[in-house]
Amino acid sequence: MRTIAVINLKGGVAKTVTTNSVAYILASQGNKVLIVDNDKQGDASRGLNCRTQDGEGIDRIMTARHPEDWMKKLIRHTEFHNMDVLPANMRLLMANQEVMFDQTRPQQYRIKNALACVADQYDFCIIDNAPDINVSTINALTACDDVLIPVEIDDNTTEGLPELVDQIGYTKEELNPELKNYWVFITKYDKNNLAQAQGTEMIEAAGYPMLKTKIRYSRKVSESTYARKPIPLYSARSLAAKDYECLVKEYLVAAGVMMDKWTEGREA
């Protein structure tokens, strides 16, 4: 199972849209995909019609001593083929606090240990994260192979980016030597906006590893969130949906995974 963490310390940069879109595209190519909602807001769960106000989910995984007893109970099938979700809600806030006070066992490996229990059942796991560095996001970094960092070009484009990249480096060095790659990519892109072109050049000049695909702005994205459908399903002909298709293909090439399966799916 290849595990991808979608993280940015800024809100509103399309982390959840990216998570659900990438998951849907991979699932549509015949992969079994698990989405882990690792944000107390529960937006990824909500976007898949799987969020409850008080039901257990990732919070229980963070606190349970034996996650193997819980994963099958907590993972929910979505209405979308090949896509399951481990949901989240505000209970995660209290769970994170409980983890921080628990000095009896390691705090950073709880998601990784839980995913190991189901790794043979999925091809990909995608973890949607809060715009924060907390014990949950560190758990996500400890569990993942790759990190995708969506960035919106604005007057604070790089806010939090150096800190996040540093945290990725610390995690790889101290907790997860199997963390292989991280990439930045642009979301909500308007090619006719000179400031956005300049902002993109600024990120490139800073030396961050970047995926070339830019997710263009589309009003269909906000519509899809209300419809609670991934944008590639809600509006397959929209600019954003087409770009996410390209992003997934570029990611697979860059990461060196699953290209045979991708090619077979595209030719079918």
Side-chain angles (χ1 to χ4, degrees), residues 189-205:
Y189 186 70
D190 179 1
K191 66 179 181 179
N192 296 315
N193 185 325
L194 179 60
Q196 294 211 353
Q198 292 173 338
T200 301
E201 292 176 358
M202 179 181 66
I203 295 176
E204 292 172 344

Side-chain angles (χ1 to χ4, degrees), residues 9 133 141 158-170 208:
L9 302 189
I133 294 178
L141 289 174
T158 60
E159 180 181 4
L161 197 52
E163 290 81 4
L164 175 56
V165 170
D166 285 345
Q167 185 62 57
I168 292 170
Y170 300 150
Y208 296 112

Side-chain angles (χ1 to χ4, degrees), residues 214-265:
K214 300 177 180 65
I215 310 301
R216 288 168 287 182
Y217 171 80
S218 172
R219 63 180 177 80
K220 291 293 184 179
V221 171
S222 60
E223 292 178 11
S224 72
T225 61
Y226 282 101
R228 298 190 179 182
K229 294 181 179 180
I231 184 63
L233 173 63
Y234 178 78
S235 180
R237 299 177 63 183
S238 67
L239 297 176
K242 292 178 180 178
D243 292 339
Y244 273 117
E245 288 270 0
C246 293
L247 182 79
V248 170
K249 186 174 183 180
E250 184 180 3
Y251 160 73
L252 292 173
V253 172
V257 295
M258 303 295 287
M259 280 310 297
D260 290 341
K261 199 166 199 176
W262 172 268
T263 303
E264 291 169 4

Side-chain angles (χ1 to χ4, degrees), residues 37-167:
D37 192 341
N38 197 31
D39 184 350
K40 64 182 182 298
Q41 299 293 335
D43 288 340
S45 306
R46 183 187 298 110
L48 301 171
N49 286 314
C50 289
R51 182 179 184 270
T52 62
Q53 293 294 329
D54 56 3
E56 292 180 315
I58 187 67
D59 59 291
R60 175 58 68 181
I61 294 305
M62 290 296 292
T63 57
R65 288 188 173 272
H66 300 286
E68 65 276 10
D69 297 336
W70 287 96
M71 287 296 279
K72 289 184 179 180
K73 298 178 183 178
L74 298 174
I75 290 174
R76 300 181 61 178
H77 298 302
T78 73
E79 62 191 78
F80 311 106
H81 183 59
N82 282 339
M83 289 175 61
D84 294 343
V85 61
L86 178 60
N89 54 40
M90 284 293 175
R91 293 171 63 110
L92 181 57
L93 181 63
M94 295 302 297
N96 281 345
Q97 294 179 6
E98 182 176 335
V99 172
M100 293 301 295
F101 286 108
D102 182 1
Q103 302 298 319
T104 64
R105 58 197 177 101
Q107 300 173 347
Q108 303 96 337
Y109 296 95
R110 302 189 181 191
I111 290 178
K112 182 173 185 175
N113 292 339
L115 292 180
C117 301
V118 297
D120 60 343
Q121 300 174 34
Y122 297 95
D123 299 300
F124 289 93
C125 172
I126 306 180
I127 309 175
D128 188 35
N129 292 276
D132 191 11
I133 294 178
N134 57 33
V135 69
S136 286
T137 53
I138 292 173
N139 264 259
L141 289 174
T142 303
C144 73
D145 299 293
D146 308 302
V147 182
L148 294 179
I149 307 173
V151 171
E152 180 184 4
I153 302 296
D154 56 23
D155 61 342
N156 290 311
T157 295
T158 60
E159 180 181 4
L161 197 52
E163 290 81 4
L164 175 56
V165 170
D166 285 345
Q167 185 62 57

